[in-house]
Amino acid sequence: MTSVPIALGPARTTLLEQAIAAGGGTVADLDSARALVWDGEPDGFPERLPDGIEWVQLFSAGVEEWFDSGVFERHPGVVFTSAAGAFANSVAEHALMLLLAGVRYLPEHIRARSWRQAEFFPHVGTLRGATVTIVGAGGIGRELITLLHPFGVRVIAVNRSGTPVSAPGVVETVPAHRLSEVWPRTDHVVVAAPATADTRHLVGKAELAQLKPTSWVINIARGSLVDTDALVQALCDGTIGGAGLDVTDPEPLPDGHPLWDLPNAIVTPHDSNPPHLRTAAFADHVTENIRRFVSGHDLIARIDIVAGY
Amino acid sequence: MTSVPIALGPARTTLLEQAIAAGGGTVADLDSARALVWDGEPDGFPERLPDGIEWVQLFSAGVEEWFDSGVFERHPGVVFTSAAGAFANSVAEHALMLLLAGVRYLPEHIRARSWRQAEFFPHVGTLRGATVTIVGAGGIGRELITLLHPFGVRVIAVNRSGTPVSAPGVVETVPAHRLSEVWPRTDHVVVAAPATADTRHLVGKAELAQLKPTSWVINIARGSLVDTDALVQALCDGTIGGAGLDVTDPEPLPDGHPLWDLPNAIVTPHDSNPPHLRTAAFADHVTENIRRFVSGHDLIARIDIVAGY
């Protein structure tokens, strides 16, 4: 098998050069390359790619900024892949951490300065036997299903098509257009769907009202999927048990925002996938996609320009 | 199969009556019973059991108080079983919650009142690829191994005999007498062994000194297994990353104790297995042991009077 010329930009790093080589590629100039691995933002991306470029591998998992940038429209004949899935492990682990911390009442434990056992007892819950709805069955959602299974959780998976998600612990798959049926019969909700016009404020006042006073809402996707004002109100009123948010709307969450002070809100500043974990995960993703490109197999995380993610 | 007469004390509850019936027993007076399910403390336990009692099922998982009470010595011919294992699910879930919260830097996130992303990034770790030593491969330890597997953790299991623990994710089983070899090559430690003279201060100054500045020590067993003074010193000095403690020594932890104020200590007041979760789990345990008693099979969690647990 001949080595396939792959360009690497905006800068070359040893880690990604090795990742390209491991997949069967050779780092080459853009003009002689068949593909481009772009380890940067839309800013600085080539205005017009050479005709020889068939495929571009982007670094980010969420690609709203890339849609806004017009890069896809300028290159209708080029296949773009995101890093969706590459960072799924770390984000799914973070989601489970937020859910467990919420269900077992950790925030108040962290604030405690004395042994408040009798007071805390009734607030410590368990995931065992709980029903958890995961909205979005992409890389993060599927990884989370795997993590949740040994806890004895019953998962309701929500995806666009409703095509059954076949994984241990999944008791039901619901298509997105029937999501409204799910709220009254779930214990907790994890939002792991892409940000699109359709998913904006997917969790709003009406949805929160149907959850339980012990329900936790976890968002590790994008802030826009949850109606922040409605969430703050539900947290103040005790309509739900709490919220674990790695993403917020607005983001960054400004100082003085009520979410900082609510005892039943956990905010992590979009750090579920920190740079030091991301780099190694992206290199593995690049190797796998180059291996597929070289051998003519379907690429992972191909961006659907029409669907918008 | 005839129904076996089982006594229930100190009080009869509907849940346990049903549990006894479900296992093939009938609730009977102590004098006519072949076994006793004791849903209480050593205080109030019969001074002398009738000769017809062959077996006593106790409610607690840790049985130090029962050894101290002299109940076992007064009844050398009776088999005693604890509730060890019955509560393993909830305690193992709690242990994993503490470990995840520590590794992903949750305590400081909970205290934050502003978006400190750049500051937090380097502190957010992952369990993926980490080596976790679990000291004690009883019910809790084994359940924890099951929970940890999908996270991509390498587990070192420590038990008395060193007989290999065969479970996915266990890369090595180390006998307790070789525990000293483990400290330099583990990332985190979970203490899940019974409290005996041999396990007192199992984690002390010398052990902590061999761990990493990112290591978390989790104790969900008994406070005496960890040398509290040495732990406080290690937490102050940054010798280890942090500690998650559901049990402490002394317990309850008194107000003003340094562990309450250390930012890298998480204390939960022995509430990993709260009463509302315990009752249902104990009922299931009773049913299973009565089923075994009725059919002449080995009982679960038989107390070893010589070994002391």
Side-chain angles (χ1 to χ4, degrees), chain B residues 169-182:
Chain B
V170 178
V171 295
E172 190 181 351
T173 304
V174 171
H177 70 272
R178 282 179 43 213
L179 178 58
S180 61
E181 300 168 15
V182 167

Side-chain angles (χ1 to χ4, degrees), chain A residues 31-217:
Chain A
D31 287 329
S32 56
R34 287 182 52 201
L36 167 64
V37 174
W38 187 255
D39 187 25
E41 305 294 322
D43 242 30
F45 193 82
E47 183 60 27
R48 179 68 58 184
L49 291 170
D51 288 344
I53 298 292
E54 303 161 35
W55 161 51
V56 177
Q57 169 67 54
L58 303 176
F59 177 71
S60 48
V63 288
E64 304 93 313
E65 290 171 15
W66 284 93
F67 274 96
D68 295 344
S69 72
V71 163
F72 301 149
E73 290 161 18
R74 291 204 305 276
H75 302 98
V78 176
V79 170
F80 286 84
T81 53
S82 74
F87 312 132
N89 289 342
S90 184
V91 179
E93 182 182 309
H94 203 83
L96 181 54
M97 190 260 312
L98 292 172
L99 180 58
L100 266 180
V103 165
R104 300 197 79 95
Y105 206 55
L106 189 62
E108 193 60 23
H109 283 89
I110 301 267
R111 288 186 285 266
R113 290 291 171 273
S114 63
W115 191 266
R116 293 157 59 190
Q117 186 187 60
E119 178 195 342
F120 285 176
F121 267 157
H123 296 285
V124 177
T126 180
L127 284 182
R128 191 152 298 268
T131 301
V132 176
T133 296
I134 303 177
V135 184
I140 295 168
R142 288 197 305 272
E143 175 67 17
L144 183 57
I145 289 169
T146 305
L147 297 182
L148 283 170
H149 177 56
F151 288 89
V153 165
R154 300 159 41 87
V155 168
I156 300 178
V158 179
N159 58 17
R160 270 179 305 164
S161 62
T163 305
V165 172
S166 171
V170 177
V171 295
E172 189 181 353
T173 305
V174 171
H177 72 269
R178 282 181 41 214
L179 178 58
S180 61
E181 300 168 15
V182 167
W183 307 101
R185 52 199 177 84
T186 194
D187 289 304
H188 310 290
V189 178
V190 179
V191 178
T196 66
D198 286 343
T199 59
R200 187 179 150 76
H201 288 194
L202 181 140
V203 179
K205 186 179 172 181
E207 292 74 26
L208 291 163
Q210 296 175 76
L211 292 172
K212 301 177 171 67
T214 49
S215 295
W216 275 72
V217 172

Side-chain angles (χ1 to χ4, degrees), chain B residues 19-103:
Chain B
I20 288 168
T26 307
V27 177
D29 287 339
L30 192 59
D31 287 330
S32 57
R34 289 182 51 203
L36 167 62
V37 174
W38 187 255
D39 187 26
E41 305 296 321
D43 242 32
F45 192 82
E47 183 59 30
R48 180 68 60 182
L49 291 170
D51 288 344
I53 298 291
E54 303 161 35
W55 161 53
V56 177
Q57 170 66 55
L58 303 176
F59 177 71
S60 47
V63 287
E64 304 94 313
E65 289 170 15
W66 284 94
F67 274 96
D68 295 345
S69 73
V71 163
F72 301 149
E73 290 161 19
R74 290 203 305 275
H75 301 100
V78 176
V79 170
F80 286 85
T81 54
S82 73
F87 311 133
N89 289 341
S90 184
V91 179
E93 182 181 310
H94 202 84
L96 181 54
M97 189 259 316
L98 292 172
L99 180 58
L100 266 180
V103 165

Side-chain angles (χ1 to χ4, degrees), chain B residues 218-258:
Chain B
I218 308 299
N219 188 1
I220 43 72
R222 286 290 183 265
S224 65
L225 278 74
V226 175
D227 178 342
T228 302
D229 293 342
L231 179 68
V232 166
Q233 194 62 50
L235 291 170
C236 286
D237 295 348
T239 309
I240 63 171
L245 309 171
D246 188 50
V247 291
T248 58
D249 180 20
E251 184 175 316
L253 194 68
D255 286 1
H257 193 283

Side-chain angles (χ1 to χ4, degrees), chain B residues 13-225:
Chain B
T13 65
T14 308
L15 185 70
L16 288 178
E17 287 183 339
Q18 289 170 345
I20 288 168
T26 307
V27 177
D29 287 339
L30 192 59
D31 287 330
S32 57
R34 289 182 51 203
L36 167 62
V37 174
W38 187 255
D39 187 26
E41 305 296 321
D43 242 32
F45 192 82
E47 183 59 30
R48 180 68 60 182
L49 291 170
D51 288 344
I53 298 291
E54 303 161 35
W55 161 53
V56 177
Q57 170 66 55
L58 303 176
F59 177 71
S60 47
V63 287
E64 304 94 313
E65 289 170 15
W66 284 94
F67 274 96
D68 295 345
S69 73
V71 163
F72 301 149
E73 290 161 19
R74 290 203 305 275
H75 301 100
V78 176
V79 170
F80 286 85
T81 54
S82 73
F87 311 133
N89 289 341
S90 184
V91 179
E93 182 181 310
H94 202 84
L96 181 54
M97 189 259 316
L98 292 172
L99 180 58
L100 266 180
V103 165
R104 300 197 79 96
Y105 205 55
L106 189 62
E108 193 59 24
H109 283 91
I110 302 264
R111 286 185 288 265
R113 289 291 172 273
S114 62
W115 191 265
R116 293 156 60 189
Q117 187 187 57
E119 178 195 344
F120 284 176
F121 267 158
H123 296 285
V124 176
T126 179
L127 284 181
R128 190 151 298 267
T131 301
V132 175
T133 296
I134 302 177
V135 184
I140 295 168
R142 287 196 307 272
E143 174 68 17
L144 183 57
I145 288 168
T146 305
L147 296 183
L148 282 170
H149 177 55
F151 288 89
V153 165
R154 299 159 42 87
V155 168
I156 300 178
V158 179
N159 59 16
R160 271 179 306 166
S161 62
T163 305
V165 173
S166 172
V170 178
V171 295
E172 190 181 351
T173 304
V174 171
H177 70 272
R178 282 179 43 213
L179 178 58
S180 61
E181 300 168 15
V182 167
W183 306 101
R185 52 198 176 84
T186 193
D187 290 304
H188 310 290
V189 178
V190 179
V191 178
T196 67
D198 286 343
T199 59
R200 187 179 150 77
H201 287 192
L202 181 141
V203 179
K205 187 179 172 183
E207 291 74 26
L208 292 162
Q210 296 175 76
L211 291 172
K212 301 177 171 67
T214 49
S215 295
W216 274 73
V217 173
I218 308 299
N219 188 1
I220 43 72
R222 286 290 183 265
S224 65
L225 278 74

